[in-house]
Amino acid sequence: MSYVDGFVIAVPAANKEIYRAFAAKAAPLFKEFGATRVVECWGDDVPEGTVTDFRGAVKAKDDEIVVFSWVEYPSKEVRDAANARIMSDPRMKEMGAGMPFDGQRMIFGGFAPILDV
């Protein structure tokens, strides 16, 4: 089974196209480093919860949309090696300087699938 990195961020609604272009530029780098799939999802039906929710998790403001993304890798080992390369790649460092969202509010983690049907 593969390994998945998941991400949730808040992006200003006005930055949708800027974010899409940013993601489109980053995706080939993730694939170059070993990712098999990169998926970016713009929030469309993200309800507010009574205890917790996606918006609260990233402290989304009224003018922000929640974006849910994931990157699939063949294994955790490939993901770990890819993340090391990503963090040191000058292209990613350059892109990181102009992120169209507040990276400090991003939540992320690595996940080992337990069911894939």
Side-chain angles (χ1 to χ4, degrees):
M1 249 193 229
S2 61
Y3 195 80
V4 177
D5 267 348
F7 307 88
V8 181
I9 59 174
V11 178
N15 286 357
K16 182 177 183 179
E17 183 51 33
I18 296 168
Y19 179 79
R20 193 210 56 76
F22 176 87
K25 188 175 178 181
L29 297 179
F30 283 95
K31 293 194 89 174
E32 176 184 328
F33 299 148
T36 56
R37 186 176 182 205
V38 177
V39 179
E40 299 281 348
C41 304
W42 190 257
D44 179 57
D45 183 15
V46 183
E48 291 188 20
T50 55
V51 176
T52 190
D53 59 40
F54 280 110
R55 293 188 62 75
V58 293
K59 299 184 180 186
K61 299 172 185 167
D62 289 342
D63 66 338
E64 293 179 321
I65 303 297
V66 174
V67 173
F68 176 66
S69 309
W70 69 92
V71 180
E72 293 180 13
Y73 294 95
S75 66
K76 185 175 190 292
E77 293 75 23
V78 171
R79 176 272 208 155
D80 290 347
N83 279 349
R85 289 184 64 195
I86 287 164
M87 298 306 277
S88 65
D89 189 278
R91 297 168 295 176
M92 289 300 291
K93 287 183 180 182
E94 180 182 322
M95 287 180 65
M99 292 189 302
F101 59 91
D102 180 0
Q104 292 181 336
R105 292 185 285 141
M106 175 173 58
I107 58 173
F108 58 92
F111 299 85
I114 60 171
L115 178 68
D116 186 353
V117 293

